[in-house]
């Protein structure tokens, strides 16, 4: 039996945008019996964990923030990580969420107890039980470090971009960055001037578009403070401009203009034809996340940087060896190798009504009703669940829609007196089928690349394949006909 104080109505796992967004809405609904279980010592999720040099958001902050809490004080159009983290800390404080956060509580697993109609949660600080479980650990929170032979015998420092080792001064060192994704293209220009030598190990060259970063001064802050509608208008314009990409994702040929702009950007930045050839992608733009940067290419053109395109075959105690036998001597390795979004470790440890874990039910391809709820897992809500990710705009928009779905479910439970809700198998199957049909022929599957959007079965279980307003329209409400309402058991402990 759970100890007093550890039995709650709602348990939220994580305190990033998802966890905080859910908590705020619960409070607004008058529900205060909830906790946020957070393994770290601060809120912020990905914006707390990613502290690599140069870390910033490639979506404009007017859009990459809660719709109900615009921040007139952003100092740039694309905010650096510390500003976003400070925003989340402030929001958590001002909305009174901090007393609900159980810091240092890592969730090891959770299982639905069908007799008690509760989720039993196992945390590093002891058990919790809850009627409703909201999973918001982030889609990109489990770093992926590739299993390269010899890595365990490397005698320099090696760390992942999302676990930056600030105790190690890269100044004057020979450094390898493995990977050329969204994280690497931000950190490479930030560390290039400080290191003696930088090897950038590129497996697939990314498409990169120029970016217009603008400083936002006090005068504009004052205007936004005084006329919040102006900031909302700006947010709306950014939203619409970014949604236009969806047209191209759906018809890869329409991406040609974007490719042309990216090619010109590359040509303008890199004079050396051999390097330019190395950096030219051979797949359709949009197939992987479109990257925005003005300083990545210029950094690669600096004399202390070498772009290595040969496959890495081994790591030696002081070097990285490539398939052609070349050896790059390094003091440190930074893994910009991404995350495990379609196989998150926690999915192995969330067990539903029949005792099976999410991963067993998913069998390599995560699926959920409206990207949020799963057949066989009563009262479980996955924020940033399957097919809710985006390659072009703000995930905060998607999170808010999913939170509304969770709130609608809570209201439905309250209204009907049901103990739990679970999607009907046919409703979930119809949703997943519609997503898959929409996905067919998109740039993610037809664009000639292999991205983390595709799971082990080759299905795109990461992205929402349509306009995000369509997601919102579909998800922000709840159709009771799509759910089974499970009545309370007489014996269930309330
Ligand atoms: P990523 O996009 O998954 O990129 C990983 C990079 O590592 C790719 O270049 C990949 O090459 C390479 N790689 C992986 N395994 C490798 C191996 N064994 N050997 C050599 N190279 C290897 O990861 P990320 O850059 O951390 O970004 C992940 C996601 O985080 C992004 O897509 C985005 O959603 C989010 N993010 C967002 C921002 C933002 O500003 N909003 C910033 C950073 C990250 P291949 O391409 O060949 O697989």
């Amino acid at each position: 039996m759970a100890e007093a104080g550890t039995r709650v109505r709602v348990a939220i796992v994580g305190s990033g945008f998802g966890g905080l967004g859910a908590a705020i809405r619960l409070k607004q609904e008058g529900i205060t019996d909830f906790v946020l279980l957070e393994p770290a010592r601060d809120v912020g999720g990905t914006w707390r964990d990613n502290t690599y040099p140069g870390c910033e958001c490639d979506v404009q902050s007017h859009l990459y923030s809660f719709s109900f809490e615009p921040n007139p004080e952003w100092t740039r159009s694309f905010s650096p990580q510390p500003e976003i983290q400070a925003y989340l800390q402030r929001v958590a404080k001002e909305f009174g969420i901090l007393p609900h956060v159980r810091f240092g509580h890592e969730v090891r697993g959770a299982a639905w107890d069908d007799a008690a109609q509760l989720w039993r949660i196992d945390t590093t600080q002891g058990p919790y039980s809850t009627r409703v479980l909201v999973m918001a650990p982030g889609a990109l929170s489990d770093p992926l470090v590739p299993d390269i032979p010899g890595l365990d015998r490397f005698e320099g420092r090696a760390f992942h971009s999302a676990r930056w080792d600030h105790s190690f001064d890269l100044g004057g060192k020979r450094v390898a960055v493995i990977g050329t994704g969204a994280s690497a293209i931000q950190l490479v220009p930030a560390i290039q001037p400080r290191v003696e030598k930088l090897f950038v190990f590129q497996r697939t060259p990314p498409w990169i578009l120029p970016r217009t970063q603008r400083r936002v001064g006090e005068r504009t802050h004052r205007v936004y403070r005084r006329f919040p509608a102006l900031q909302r208008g700006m947010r709306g314009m950014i939203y619409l401009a970014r949604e236009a990409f969806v047209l191209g994702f759906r018809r890869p040929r329409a991406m040609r203009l974007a490719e042309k702009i990216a090619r010109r950007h590359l040509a303008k930045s890199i004079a050396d034809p051999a390097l330019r050839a190395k950096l030219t992608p051979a797949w359709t733009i949009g197939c992987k996340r479109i990257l925005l940067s003005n300083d990545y290419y210029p950094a690669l053109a600096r004399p202390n940087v070498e772009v290595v395109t040969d496959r890495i075959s081994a790591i030696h105690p002081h070097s990285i060896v490539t398939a052609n036998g070349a050896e790059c001597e390094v003091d440190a390795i930074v893994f910009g190798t991404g995350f495990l979004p379609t196989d998150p470790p926690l999915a192995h440890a969330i067990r539903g009504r029949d005792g099976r874990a999410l991963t067993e039910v998913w069998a390599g391809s995560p699926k959920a009703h409206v990207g949020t709820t799963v057949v066989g897992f009563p009262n479980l809500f996955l924020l940033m669940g399957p097919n809710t990710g985006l390659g072009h705009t703000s995930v905060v928009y998607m999170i808010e829609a999913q939170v509304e779905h969770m709130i609608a479910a809570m209201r439905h439970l309250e209204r009907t007196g049901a103990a739990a809700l679970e999607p009907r198998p046919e409703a979930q199957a119809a949703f997943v089928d519609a997503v898959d049909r929409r996905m067919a022929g998109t740039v993610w599957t037809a664009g000639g690349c292999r991205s983390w959007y595709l799971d082990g079965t080759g299905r795109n279980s990461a992205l929402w394949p349509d306009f995000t307003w369509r997601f919102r329209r579909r998800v922000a409400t709840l159709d009771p006909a799509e759910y089974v309402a499970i009545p309370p058991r007489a014996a269930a402990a309330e």
Side-chain angles (χ1 to χ4, degrees), residues 178-200:
I178 303 182
T180 53
S183 304
I185 68 136
Q186 294 181 340
L187 71 91
V188 161
I191 64 172
Q192 175 273 323
R194 291 166 43 211
V195 302
E196 182 196 309
K197 176 84 192 172
L198 183 60
F199 296 99
V200 177

Side-chain angles (χ1 to χ4, degrees), residues 47 52 56-59 140 144 146 148 161 178-184 186 201 203-204 288-289 312 336-339 450 452-453:
W47 297 104
Y52 59 80
E56 56 186 36
C57 187
D58 59 11
V59 178
L140 299 165
L144 172 78
I148 302 172
S161 57
I178 303 182
T180 53
S183 304
Q186 294 181 340
F201 286 86
R203 190 163 68 178
T204 314
K288 289 170 187 268
R289 187 183 179 88
I312 297 170
T337 41
F339 302 86
R450 164 108 218 152
W452 62 257
Y453 301 150

Side-chain angles (χ1 to χ4, degrees), residues 101 130 166 176 202 301 306 321 348 356 394 424 426 474 488 491:
V101 189
T130 182
H166 291 279
Q202 171 190 276
E306 187 176 329
V321 182
H348 293 258
R356 285 190 303 158
S394 170
R424 292 185 185 279
E426 59 276 20
R474 178 75 176 84

Side-chain angles (χ1 to χ4, degrees), residues 178-352:
I178 303 182
T180 53
S183 304
I185 68 136
Q186 294 181 340
L187 71 91
V188 161
I191 64 172
Q192 175 273 323
R194 291 166 43 211
V195 302
E196 182 196 309
K197 176 84 192 172
L198 183 60
F199 296 99
V200 177
F201 286 86
Q202 171 190 276
R203 190 163 68 178
T204 314
W207 283 107
I208 301 177
L209 288 173
R211 191 190 65 160
T212 343
Q213 171 75 298
R214 277 186 309 100
R215 284 193 170 274
V216 184
E218 180 50 29
R219 238 186 26 215
T220 313
H221 295 161
R222 270 204 304 273
V223 172
Y224 285 149
R225 265 181 243 133
R226 182 117 193 261
F227 306 104
L230 279 180
Q231 193 172 10
R232 280 199 299 276
M234 185 60 88
R235 178 184 167 100
M237 279 185 331
I238 296 167
Y239 174 78
L240 287 177
R242 297 190 79 112
E243 282 304 283
F245 271 109
V246 176
L247 300 169
F249 293 147
R250 302 258 301 277
R251 278 176 219 80
R253 283 160 61 99
M255 295 303 263
R256 285 201 185 134
L257 175 64
E259 277 194 14
K260 217 167 144 184
I261 296 169
R263 266 183 221 284
R264 196 172 312 140
H265 184 47
L266 173 62
K268 263 170 64 182
S269 318
I270 304 284
D272 172 10
L275 180 56
R276 209 184 308 141
K278 269 189 190 177
L279 298 174
T280 304
W283 41 278
T284 309
I285 194 168
C287 183
K288 289 170 187 268
R289 187 183 179 88
I290 298 176
L291 308 183
L292 306 179
S293 174
N294 290 352
D295 51 8
Y296 177 66
Y297 287 144
L300 296 187
R302 304 296 300 167
N304 66 337
V305 181
E306 187 176 329
V307 178
V308 184
T309 54
D310 287 310
R311 197 173 53 79
I312 297 170
S313 59
I315 294 178
H316 287 180
H318 300 283
S319 61
I320 296 181
V321 182
T322 55
N324 63 357
E327 200 162 348
C328 306
E329 299 230 335
V330 291
D331 306 302
I333 303 174
V334 175
F335 289 98
T337 41
F339 302 86
L340 284 166
T342 54
D343 186 22
L346 255 183
H348 293 258
I350 306 290
R351 298 191 173 275

Side-chain angles (χ1 to χ4, degrees), residues 55-114:
C55 182
E56 56 186 36
C57 187
D58 59 11
V59 178
Q60 293 93 326
S61 294
H62 287 316
L63 185 58
Y64 196 92
S65 45
F66 288 121
S67 60
F68 53 83
E69 185 62 9
N71 175 19
E73 319 295 332
W74 296 120
T75 62
R76 283 161 229 193
S77 37
F78 296 87
S79 292
Q81 171 265 339
E83 248 182 80
I84 303 173
Q85 173 61 358
Y87 168 80
L88 288 172
Q89 286 167 325
R90 177 176 67 72
V91 166
K93 196 163 166 229
E94 285 180 7
F95 282 84
I97 305 305
L98 290 178
H100 296 266
V101 189
R102 301 291 172 265
F103 291 112
H105 282 57
E106 183 177 348
V107 171
R108 291 192 286 225
W112 176 253
D113 177 340
D114 210 27

Side-chain angles (χ1 to χ4, degrees), residues 286-481:
C287 183
K288 289 170 187 268
R289 187 183 179 88
I290 298 176
L291 308 183
L292 306 179
S293 174
N294 290 352
D295 51 8
Y296 177 66
Y297 287 144
L300 296 187
R302 304 296 300 167
N304 66 337
V305 181
E306 187 176 329
V307 178
V308 184
T309 54
D310 287 310
R311 197 173 53 79
I312 297 170
S313 59
I315 294 178
H316 287 180
H318 300 283
S319 61
I320 296 181
V321 182
T322 55
N324 63 357
E327 200 162 348
C328 306
E329 299 230 335
V330 291
D331 306 302
I333 303 174
V334 175
F335 289 98
T337 41
F339 302 86
L340 284 166
T342 54
D343 186 22
L346 255 183
H348 293 258
I350 306 290
R351 298 191 173 275
R353 220 168 4 89
D354 66 1
R356 285 190 303 158
L358 275 172
T359 38
E360 291 171 72
V361 174
W362 283 340
S365 193
K367 291 176 183 138
H369 182 52
V370 295
T372 312
T373 54
V374 185
V375 174
F377 293 77
N379 286 358
L380 174 70
F381 298 89
L382 306 175
L383 301 186
M384 301 249 34
N387 291 111
T388 64
L390 300 170
H392 68 293
T393 189
S394 170
V395 292
V396 183
Y397 183 90
M398 305 296 271
I399 288 169
E400 286 190 27
Q402 292 188 281
V403 167
E404 287 313 313
H405 195 78
M406 183 270 287
I407 294 292
M410 297 286 299
R411 285 190 193 142
H412 191 70
L413 288 174
E414 184 89 29
R415 210 168 36 243
T416 59
L421 280 180
E422 188 188 310
R424 292 185 185 279
E426 59 276 20
Q428 179 174 312
F431 178 82
V432 172
D433 196 46
V435 164
D436 287 350
R437 269 186 281 119
R438 209 78 179 148
M439 199 70 77
T442 58
V443 70
W444 305 298
T445 44
C449 82
R450 164 108 218 152
S451 71
W452 62 257
Y453 301 150
L454 307 180
D455 59 35
T457 70
R459 183 176 161 267
N460 188 336
S461 51
L463 294 188
W464 171 248
D466 209 329
F467 296 107
T468 57
W469 51 265
R470 285 206 171 121
F471 181 81
R472 190 177 177 86
R473 202 175 57 186
R474 178 75 176 84
V475 176
T477 56
L478 180 136
D479 178 358

